Amino acid sequence: MKTKQFTENEALWLQLEQELLSKQYKIDTDGYPSKIITLSFLLDAFTLHEVLCHYQQLVLLDEFRQELDFETQRYCLSHFIDEHQSLTYLPLLCYYAVNLSKYGASYSYLTVKELLATIKELDAEAYNSLITVGSGTLPTHKQQMASDLIFCQANDVLATITIKIKEESEEAYRQALAYLNALLEEDFPKSYGIYYEGKSDLVLPIELLPVTSSHHFFTKALSYPSLHTALVEYSYKAMAQYHFYQDVDDEEAAMPSTFAVFGLGLYDKSYGKLVIDYMYECDGDHSLMPEYFAKAYVEKFGLTPETLPVFVCTVLAVQEVPYDAFFEKAMSTDNNLQWFEKFMTTPFIELCPFIPLEQSEHIEEYKDMVVAQLLYTCFGIIHMNDFTSSAFMHIPEPYRTRFELIIKELI
């Protein structure tokens, strides 16, 4: 049935609404778009969302966001809102702004700003509520928390988290991390900004890493070893593919958890699994963070069969880590070249048991490309089958001859 039939015939809508509210429907996802089948109607997902937008049935919109996906709903909301920017549709505008901030892509904050500007023109009071309180769905103690040591506040529409340290102490940062970890248990946007007000100007020893207030906050928290467990907890709650800190410039694109993960990774080799998990989630097509980390990691720990898995996952997390003679020198030991030979001929999961299985499978599927990428980073080899190039000749014998035979099998 078409949208127009429901919008022009209220009796049809009331019947549909009753069947949806009483959950007398099933969803068929075999085709695209999904079909919603009720006792009396058969609709596709787009028609359903258009009708729900027309009648501003926010409860049902939220239910179908959970049952289907937000992207279908976002598409319909976007087109509907473009044509219905009036006070009548203020609740729908607010709904869209809140949900786009929570479930939209990292760049959605630009559209959220536009929506907020429209809401401000229509109703200043609604606008002020959104920018001061947010959606109003966060528990009160997570929307704002204060103690003698800290003041924290979060807004899930603006996707901002403010952390004010009143008194510099380990306990203050413990409370701040506890607040962050509790907040991220809620339905909070995955792309957000952390705005830290404290006295620390500490930064991680990583060249080119963007310096922001959140960078200062996590570096200071890292200075307290007893807080490292809380930082690991935060890292796993925060990291999300295709999402970024909003307090870092767009061109830098730092995934939430970057500063905590990098700090822990450089603190001790035992955090290697955390770093590998981060690299697996990182959107290396848009973020240079792994490239910055690679050299700092090798400078701190060197390259050994113990650290090579972390280095390999870091290099593979981005389109390329440029060749550096520093990497070549670190790689050119018997132990490392033997490890690299095993890497080329052995499933990576056997060399790195804690790597996610799907990551290992991906590496094996594209082993020739992976090997080519590592040969470029470590030896400057541009074409891995050019066995007479000066770069390839830098690989010491007998490994050069062995590598040539293996590469011929890979390509």
Side-chain angles (χ1 to χ4, degrees):
M1 298 185 75
K2 300 300 182 183
T3 305
K4 191 174 182 180
Q5 292 174 278
F6 291 100
T7 57
E8 294 185 352
N9 188 330
E10 183 116 0
L12 280 181
W13 156 245
L14 292 173
Q15 185 177 351
L16 174 62
E17 180 186 41
Q18 179 60 38
E19 292 178 5
L20 294 175
L21 288 172
S22 60
K23 299 194 180 299
Q24 298 179 65
Y25 65 85
K26 62 180 181 179
I27 300 174
D28 180 1
T29 58
D30 288 342
Y32 181 83
S34 299
K35 300 291 187 293
I36 290 80
I37 306 164
T38 77
L39 295 176
S40 309
F41 307 101
L42 171 62
L43 304 86
D44 65 49
F46 291 108
T47 300
L48 172 70
H49 281 101
E50 288 170 6
V51 173
L52 295 179
C53 287
H54 177 81
Y55 286 102
Q56 300 194 82
Q57 222 323 338
L58 305 184
V59 172
L60 285 171
L61 275 171
D62 206 53
E63 286 185 11
F64 282 102
R65 174 192 60 77
Q66 297 176 59
E67 293 203 49
L68 293 167
D69 58 71
F70 179 66
E71 184 53 30
T72 298
Q73 187 175 112
R74 183 208 62 79
Y75 177 83
C76 293
L77 280 164
S78 175
H79 285 274
F80 191 90
I81 290 298
D82 282 346
E83 299 176 1
H84 298 84
Q85 295 190 2
S86 66
L87 192 59
T88 300
Y89 287 97
L90 179 63
L92 190 67
L93 274 163
C94 294
Y95 172 88
Y96 185 29
V98 168
N99 284 273
L100 189 60
S101 180
K102 287 185 177 182
Y103 311 113
S106 61
Y107 51 79
S108 295
Y109 74 93
L110 296 171
T111 306
V112 173
K113 286 184 177 179
E114 294 173 359
L115 290 168
L116 289 173
T118 301
I119 292 169
K120 185 178 183 180
E121 291 179 4
L122 297 173
D123 188 320
E125 186 176 343
Y127 167 80
N128 288 331
S129 177
L130 289 173
I131 66 168
T132 55
V133 179
S135 68
T137 60
L138 285 175
T140 304
H141 66 288
K142 294 182 182 180
Q143 191 269 324
Q144 184 173 299
M145 189 276 280
S147 74
D148 292 339
L149 301 177
I150 66 169
F151 171 81
C152 297
Q153 184 169 308
N155 186 306
D156 57 355
V157 175
L158 301 179
T160 58
I161 303 169
T162 299
I163 298 175
K164 182 177 181 179
I165 303 295
K166 300 177 183 178
E167 179 183 306
E168 293 287 333
S169 66
E170 180 176 332
E171 181 57 28
Y173 287 87
R174 187 188 313 280
Q175 290 182 17
L177 286 172
Y179 172 80
L180 273 176
N181 287 334
L183 177 64
L184 294 186
E185 291 174 356
E186 301 297 326
D187 219 1
F188 198 77
K190 295 186 180 302
S191 291
Y192 54 84
I194 294 180
Y195 301 93
Y196 159 70
E197 299 176 28
K199 295 182 180 179
S200 172
D201 58 359
L202 295 175
V203 295
L204 298 173
I206 302 176
E207 189 177 355
L208 300 179
L209 197 65
V211 177
T212 67
S213 65
S214 58
H215 185 164
H216 292 315
F217 169 77
F218 285 108
T219 308
K220 181 61 181 289
L222 282 156
S223 69
Y224 301 111
S226 68
L227 302 185
H228 288 186
T229 299
L231 284 164
V232 171
E233 180 184 348
Y234 167 77
S235 297
Y236 278 113
K237 288 180 175 179
M239 63 176 73
Q241 195 172 43
Y242 310 128
H243 287 277
F244 307 104
Y245 279 129
Q246 290 186 10
D247 56 299
V248 177
D249 289 344
D250 290 346
E251 59 269 20
E252 295 287 358
M255 181 173 70
S257 78
T258 293
F259 306 117
V261 171
F262 286 8
L264 291 166
L266 293 180
Y267 181 81
D268 194 278
K269 288 181 287 187
S270 64
Y271 292 107
K273 183 182 185 308
L274 174 65
V275 175
I276 287 175
D277 290 341
Y278 170 95
M279 296 303 169
Y280 182 56
E281 291 295 328
C282 183
D283 176 14
D285 289 338
H286 298 97
S287 176
L288 294 175
M289 298 301 111
E291 180 184 328
Y292 302 158
F293 180 77
K295 190 169 185 179
Y297 184 77
V298 177
E299 286 175 341
K300 178 66 183 287
F301 298 117
L303 284 182
T304 67
E306 181 185 5
T307 61
L308 272 165
V310 172
F311 177 71
V312 166
C313 289
T314 301
V315 171
L316 299 182
V318 286
Q319 294 180 344
E320 70 173 39
V321 173
Y323 163 75
D324 193 308
F326 172 74
F327 293 141
E328 181 173 341
K329 182 178 180 180
M331 192 69 180
S332 298
T333 68
D334 282 335
N335 285 341
N336 291 344
L337 292 169
Q338 287 172 16
W339 187 94
F340 192 38
E341 183 178 355
K342 288 180 182 177
F343 172 80
M344 289 192 287
T345 58
T346 306
F348 190 34
I349 201 165
E350 294 184 18
L351 301 174
C352 182
F354 51 75
I355 190 173
L357 177 60
E358 57 271 24
Q359 186 177 9
S360 179
E361 290 174 343
H362 180 81
I363 289 173
E364 298 313 308
E365 184 178 359
Y366 299 99
K367 200 63 170 274
D368 56 336
M369 298 170 63
V370 166
V371 170
Q373 196 169 344
L374 290 168
L375 287 173
Y376 168 69
T377 297
C378 295
F379 298 102
I381 297 170
I382 297 174
H383 304 292
M384 74 171 180
N385 60 344
D386 185 358
F387 304 117
T388 61
S389 68
S390 59
F392 197 86
M393 297 301 288
H394 282 184
I395 300 175
E397 287 287 15
Y399 302 103
R400 183 168 68 246
T401 299
R402 293 180 191 168
F403 287 8
E404 180 178 341
L405 294 174
I406 295 169
I407 290 168
K408 286 178 178 177
E409 290 291 324
L410 288 175
I411 58 179

